[in-house]
Each structure stands twice: as C-alpha cells, then as structure tokens.
Amino acid sequence: MMNYSIIQIPSISSETGCLFVLEKQERLPFEIKRVYYITNVKNDAQRGNHAHKQLKQLMICLGGSCDIVLDNGVSRTTITLDMPGKILYIQPCLWREIKNFTENATLMVFASEEYDENDYIRDYEEFKKHVGQGII
Ligand code: T46
C-alpha cells in the first residue's frame, strides 16, 4: 500500500487573484508543528532521497512545479505538484525523491513534528530492510 493521498482545495478566486485556505480540522489531517520551504533548486538537482519513520507531511508547490517520486519498498509512483490547490499528504514509511523543479518552483511543507534527524532513513537499502521487516 502506498500511504499517500492528494487533497484538492478550491480557490477563492476573483479578478484580483486566487486565495487558498487550509483550516484546522476541516482540511488538515494533523496538527502542524513545523513549516519549511525549498526554493532555487536547479532543474537537474534531486532532493529528498530519504524516508521518515513517524513524520507526516503536506506538500504544496507554490508556483512552478516539481515531481515527487514515492516508493514503498515494492513499487514507485510519481506525483507532479503543479498547482497551489493540489496538496500531497505523505504518511510515514515512504521513500521520496524530489526532482524536475522548474526555475520558479517553491515547495512548501507542513510537518507534523519538529525537526529530528533520528526520524530520517537516508540510505535506500536500510529503508528496504526496515520496510521488509515491518519495523516502520
Ligand atoms: C522532506 C523534503 C521535502 C534542519 O535543520 N531543519 C529542518 O527542519 C529541515 C527540514 C532540515 N534541516 C537541515 C538538515 C540538513 O542538514 O537542513 C539540511 C538539508 O535538509 P535535507 O537534506 O533533509 O533537505 P531535503 O530538501 O532533501 O529534504 C527536506 C526535508 O528534510 C524532508 O523532510 O520531505 O525537504
């Protein structure tokens, strides 16, 4: 099973622009403890290359686009984030590779926990071992 989902949020649009709302309870699957964003990524660069043991995340590409490759240790799927109303909800135990950033892309992440390097698995073989043994 691939532990992710896409949340589409409607825009509140007018001739002056578009507004998107993520409000407690209604559209947020967890309490947000941290927000970070990634920008100025070179088109041929790849980020991610890790899995999280516990962390849940919501990812939105604000402007531009990027691809999120998700891997559960058995199969892979690629999600293109290319609209501010398209939100990727990633649950724990998924390896991710983030690539094909367009020049103007900013990837914003809402996270369920504060930063903890011990929550990361940064080695793919180790990730496969963990998944295979049902450790994460
Ligand atoms: C993810 C993708 C989308 C911190 O000190 N605090 C933080 O909150 C974060 C996120 C990172 N760092 C440090 C850890 C590393 O020394 O910043 C450095 C770069 O982090 P990392 O190599 O993990 O960056 P990405 O872009 O590969 O991954 C980040 C997040 O770590 C990760 O959770 O899903 O963005």
Side-chain angles (χ1 to χ4, degrees):
M1 194 177 82
M2 205 61 96
N3 282 330
Y4 78 90
S5 57
I6 305 287
I7 301 170
Q8 292 279 0
I9 57 169
S11 73
I12 302 170
S13 300
S14 71
E15 63 277 7
T16 55
C18 302
L19 183 145
F20 295 87
V21 182
L22 271 173
E23 198 159 16
K24 202 177 171 189
Q25 301 298 338
E26 198 190 347
R27 295 201 177 99
L28 293 175
F30 53 81
E31 188 188 337
I32 294 167
K33 297 218 178 123
R34 181 167 50 118
V35 177
Y36 51 94
Y37 40 96
I38 299 163
T39 190
N40 285 330
V41 181
K42 291 202 174 69
N43 179 260
D44 58 356
Q46 184 166 308
R47 299 195 63 108
N49 307 314
H50 60 255
H52 285 285
K53 296 174 192 166
Q54 302 288 339
L55 192 73
K56 296 175 190 161
Q57 295 161 298
L58 291 168
M59 295 187 184
I60 312 170
C61 198
L62 300 173
S65 69
C66 64
D67 289 337
I68 319 279
V69 179
L70 297 176
D71 179 329
N72 62 3
V74 178
S75 62
R76 291 189 155 214
T77 188
T78 300
I79 315 291
T80 299
L81 291 181
D82 54 2
M83 288 180 291
K86 182 177 181 179
I87 301 177
L88 175 61
Y89 172 30
I90 306 183
Q91 297 196 44
C93 315
L94 284 178
W95 184 265
R96 81 286 312 272
E97 295 166 9
I98 308 169
K99 52 188 161 189
N100 299 331
F101 284 82
T102 58
E103 205 178 313
N104 55 342
T106 297
L107 180 65
M108 177 164 265
V109 182
F110 297 96
S112 64
E113 306 298 335
E114 290 170 14
Y115 175 68
D116 177 7
E117 187 57 37
N118 291 323
D119 188 63
Y120 287 73
I121 300 175
R122 293 189 183 270
D123 179 81
Y124 186 69
E125 290 312 311
E126 193 192 331
F127 165 71
K128 293 258 289 184
K129 211 162 65 188
H130 273 68
V131 171
Q133 293 170 354
I135 297 171
I136 61 170

